[in-house]
Amino acid sequence: MESQIGWIDFSPKDRNRVKRFMDIMGMGGVVDELGIGMIRDAMSNKLFPGFSTLYTRAKYFFITPYILLEKEKKQTKRQSGMDYFHNAEVDTNRIIIRFYENHPERSGESYFGKDKKDGNLKRQPSEIYWNGMQHLHLLESEGSIDQILSDRHSLMDELLSSDRGDDPVKEQGENHMTICENVSYDSNWRQFITDNGLRLTRTEAETLRDRLQLHLKDSLPTSLVANSKLWTKYSSALEESRQSKYLDNAFIHFVESSIDLISNEELRKNLIKAHDMALFLHGAHIAYNIQLWSKVNARVDFIDKLRSEGIDWLCNLSDRMIDFDGFHIDDCIRGTNLKTPTRKFLNEIQILIKNNSDWIQIESELCSLTEHQERWNKKSKSRFVKIEKGQVIEEMNKQQWLGLYLINYRYMSTLSVIKDIYDGLANEV
C-alpha cells in the first residue's frame, strides 16, 4: 500500500509554509546533502534580510501594494478578495510577458512567466516577495495576503503606511492619494509596465533606497545603495571571479576585493564570517564528491581532478580565509536549530583542518565523515543508500559535481534588485 501524507493547517501562513516545503520535497535529486542549509540561510538572513534567492526584479516589490490599493475601487460585489487579487496579478503577469515578447532586444532580462505564457504561475510574485515587502515596511502587516484579502472592506491605508508606527489621519471622505504616494503609486502604473517592462520609476527607486536605509541598516543591500564604489565592486565581481586564478565565486571575490570599503562594523563582521564559512564548507563537499564517485568506480581522471581540488583547497585555506585563526564553526551555528549530529560533523571537520595541512592525510577520514553525515541527513534518499541497493540515480549518468558548490548566498538575486534601483535613480521619471 502506498504511503500518503496529509496535514491540517490553522492559517494561510501555515498553508504557504507547507506548500513551500512540498515544493522542495518534490524537486528532483537530493537537496542539501550534508544538512548545512540551515546555517547558510541563517547567514544569508543576516547579510540579506528580506531578500530571497528567487527574486528577479525590484518592480515586484510594488505590484502587490499597487493591486491592494485599488482593491476597494475595483473589486466587484461578486468577487472574493482572493479572486480579485488573483485575477489582477495574473493580468499584470500577462502585461509583463507581452512586453518582453514584443521586445526581443530585452529578452535577457529576468521576469516571472518566461516558461508559462498565460500568467498563471505555480508560485506568484506576491507570495515570493511578501516577506521582503514586510521587511521594507511597504506593507504594514504581519499576516499573510490571504488574511488581508479575507476582509473585503479592510482599509489599505492601515497596511500601506509610510512607516511603521504612523497614525494616518482618516478624515470623512478622505481619498487614498496621500497613502498611495507612500508606495510610489501612480494610477497609470500598468501603462508604465506596458511601455517600459519592469523598469523602476525614479520615485520607486528612491522609495526602495530610502526604505533600505531606514529599516535594514546593517544589511549588505543597504550599503550597496548608499556606496556607489561598493556597488561597482559588487556588480563587477561576477565577471572578475571567472577570471580569478583561485577557486572562486562572485560572493567570495566581492568580499575579498571590497572588505576595506565596509564601514558598518556589524556588516563587516558578518561578511568575513560568511566568506570564511563558504570556503570552510567547500572542503566537505569536495570530499563528498570523491567518496560518492569512488563508490561507482568513476573515471580515475575525474576523481583525480576532484582530489586535486581538495589539495588546492586545504593548501590555500589559511591564506584565503580572512580570519582563519579566529574562525569557529560554532559561531556560525549559534542561534540555529541545527541538529546535534550535524553540529558534531562540522566540529570534527574543523578539528581535522586545524590539525592537518595536507589533504592526503585527512582525505580518508573526511570522506568517511561526509558519507556518514549524508546517510544520517537524507535517510532513504541518501545516494550512498541508493547505490548500495543498486538503484539507478539519474543525475549520476554524467560524471560531474553533485551537491552544493561554493556558497554564493543571495548574491545573484540581490545583484538584479540593486541594479534596478540604480537604473531607476538614473531615470527622469
Side-chain angles (χ1 to χ4, degrees):
M1 182 176 177
E2 185 177 349
S3 299
Q4 294 183 334
I5 185 171
W7 72 89
I8 299 174
D9 56 74
F10 294 95
S11 73
K13 186 175 182 179
D14 292 336
R15 182 166 65 252
N16 289 333
R17 290 179 65 185
V18 172
K19 283 168 60 180
R20 287 194 292 272
F21 174 76
M22 297 303 289
D23 285 344
I24 293 172
M25 295 298 290
M27 292 172 63
V30 184
V31 179
D32 187 21
E33 294 79 359
L34 301 181
I36 57 89
M38 187 177 292
I39 59 174
R40 173 201 60 202
D41 294 343
M43 187 61 69
S44 294
N45 288 337
K46 290 181 179 179
L47 295 173
F48 308 94
F51 279 63
S52 164
T53 56
L54 299 178
Y55 286 178
T56 57
R57 305 296 299 276
K59 191 78 170 186
Y60 288 108
F61 280 111
F62 293 97
I63 291 174
T64 294
Y66 291 169
I67 294 174
L68 289 175
L69 276 167
E70 298 174 343
K71 173 179 181 287
E72 292 174 34
K73 289 183 179 180
K74 295 191 175 183
Q75 181 182 345
T76 66
K77 292 182 178 180
R78 294 185 178 182
Q79 280 181 313
S80 67
M82 283 303 301
D83 285 342
Y84 153 77
F85 185 86
H86 175 74
N87 292 339
E89 185 168 32
V90 169
D91 287 344
T92 306
N93 290 342
R94 290 170 179 163
I95 293 172
I96 295 168
I97 292 167
R98 282 197 301 271
F99 173 85
Y100 287 101
E101 287 179 340
N102 294 333
H103 294 81
E105 74 279 5
R106 292 176 60 180
S107 61
E109 296 184 19
S110 297
Y111 62 94
F112 293 107
K114 278 190 175 183
D115 301 321
K116 194 171 177 61
K117 304 302 183 182
D118 65 357
N120 236 322
L121 311 179
K122 184 176 181 181
R123 288 190 67 189
Q124 294 286 10
S126 57
E127 179 186 351
I128 294 170
Y129 279 74
W130 190 258
N131 184 52
M133 286 182 270
Q134 290 176 314
H135 269 79
L136 291 171
H137 294 223
L138 294 168
L139 284 153
E140 296 297 331
S141 171
E142 296 181 357
S144 69
I145 193 167
D146 304 54
Q147 292 168 322
I148 291 173
L149 294 172
S150 64
D151 180 3
R152 172 178 168 77
H153 299 291
S154 63
L155 289 175
M156 291 301 136
D157 58 0
E158 294 178 357
L159 302 170
L160 301 162
S161 61
S162 63
D163 189 21
R164 184 173 294 277
D166 286 356
D167 185 17
V169 177
K170 302 179 183 65
E171 297 178 358
Q172 185 69 25
E174 175 192 18
N175 63 35
H176 293 301
M177 286 312 297
T178 301
I179 305 305
C180 295
E181 289 173 0
N182 291 330
V183 285
S184 315
Y185 177 79
D186 183 324
S187 60
N188 293 318
W189 65 270
R190 286 184 177 83
Q191 187 60 49
F192 187 88
I193 294 176
T194 300
D195 297 336
N196 300 279
L198 289 173
R199 289 176 178 165
L200 292 178
T201 66
R202 182 178 179 84
T203 305
E204 288 170 339
E206 289 172 345
T207 298
L208 283 181
R209 178 198 62 194
D210 295 346
R211 294 301 176 90
L212 282 167
Q213 294 175 342
L214 180 62
H215 298 294
L216 303 178
K217 294 179 181 179
D218 295 329
S219 75
L220 181 55
T222 298
S223 288
L224 293 174
V225 298
N227 186 334
S228 60
K229 289 183 179 179
L230 191 66
W231 165 243
T232 298
K233 289 283 188 182
Y234 193 89
S235 58
S236 62
L238 185 60
E239 182 57 34
E240 291 176 0
S241 68
R242 293 170 180 158
Q243 301 173 10
S244 173
K245 65 178 180 179
Y246 293 110
L247 170 71
D248 220 338
N249 68 16
F251 177 82
I252 293 292
H253 186 82
F254 162 71
V255 175
E256 291 177 354
S257 65
S258 61
I259 193 65
D260 291 338
L261 294 175
I262 305 293
S263 58
N264 182 300
E265 284 303 316
E266 180 69 15
L267 176 59
R268 179 184 172 86
K269 179 184 70 175
N270 287 332
L271 280 170
I272 291 172
K273 189 184 297 184
H275 170 277
D276 289 356
M277 186 179 80
L279 288 173
F280 170 83
L281 292 172
H282 186 60
H285 289 93
I286 296 172
Y288 171 75
N289 273 269
I290 291 175
Q291 184 77 343
L292 185 69
W293 288 109
S294 296
K295 294 284 186 180
V296 295
N297 298 317
R299 295 193 323 269
V300 173
D301 64 319
F302 176 69
I303 295 177
D304 284 346
K305 183 178 179 181
L306 292 171
R307 181 169 289 115
S308 177
E309 188 169 339
I311 292 170
D312 290 342
W313 168 77
L314 187 57
C315 180
N316 294 308
L317 189 61
S318 61
D319 292 330
R320 292 297 307 279
M321 288 176 70
I322 298 173
D323 186 20
F324 179 78
D325 292 332
F327 177 82
H328 297 284
I329 193 62
D330 281 336
D331 292 338
C332 303
I333 295 171
R334 192 172 294 115
T336 70
N337 293 320
L338 208 65
K339 298 294 179 62
T340 299
T342 303
R343 292 172 180 264
K344 182 173 182 291
F345 163 68
L346 293 172
N347 276 286
E348 287 176 339
I349 292 177
Q350 180 148 29
I351 292 171
L352 273 179
I353 293 170
K354 290 286 187 181
N355 294 336
N356 298 279
S357 59
D358 187 344
W359 173 267
I360 301 304
Q361 293 177 348
I362 69 169
E363 181 184 300
S364 178
E365 187 172 355
L366 189 55
C367 287
S368 178
L369 283 172
T370 57
E371 177 177 351
H372 182 270
Q373 173 66 12
E374 196 251 23
R375 286 174 178 269
W376 173 84
N377 183 52
K378 305 308 297 185
K379 307 298 188 290
S380 62
K381 291 188 175 183
S382 161
R383 291 191 180 101
F384 291 109
V385 170
K386 291 180 178 180
I387 289 170
E388 279 183 350
K389 294 181 177 181
Q391 297 177 7
V392 176
I393 306 175
E394 293 183 4
E395 59 192 335
M396 295 184 70
N397 290 335
K398 296 180 180 179
Q399 291 187 14
Q400 59 188 19
W401 182 277
L402 292 174
L404 296 179
Y405 200 65
L406 267 174
I407 300 174
N408 218 14
Y409 300 99
R410 296 167 187 167
Y411 173 88
M412 291 302 297
S413 56
T414 301
L415 178 71
S416 178
V417 169
I418 303 301
K419 181 181 185 303
D420 280 348
I421 293 175
Y422 270 94
D423 289 346
L425 291 173
N427 289 341
E428 295 182 0
V429 294

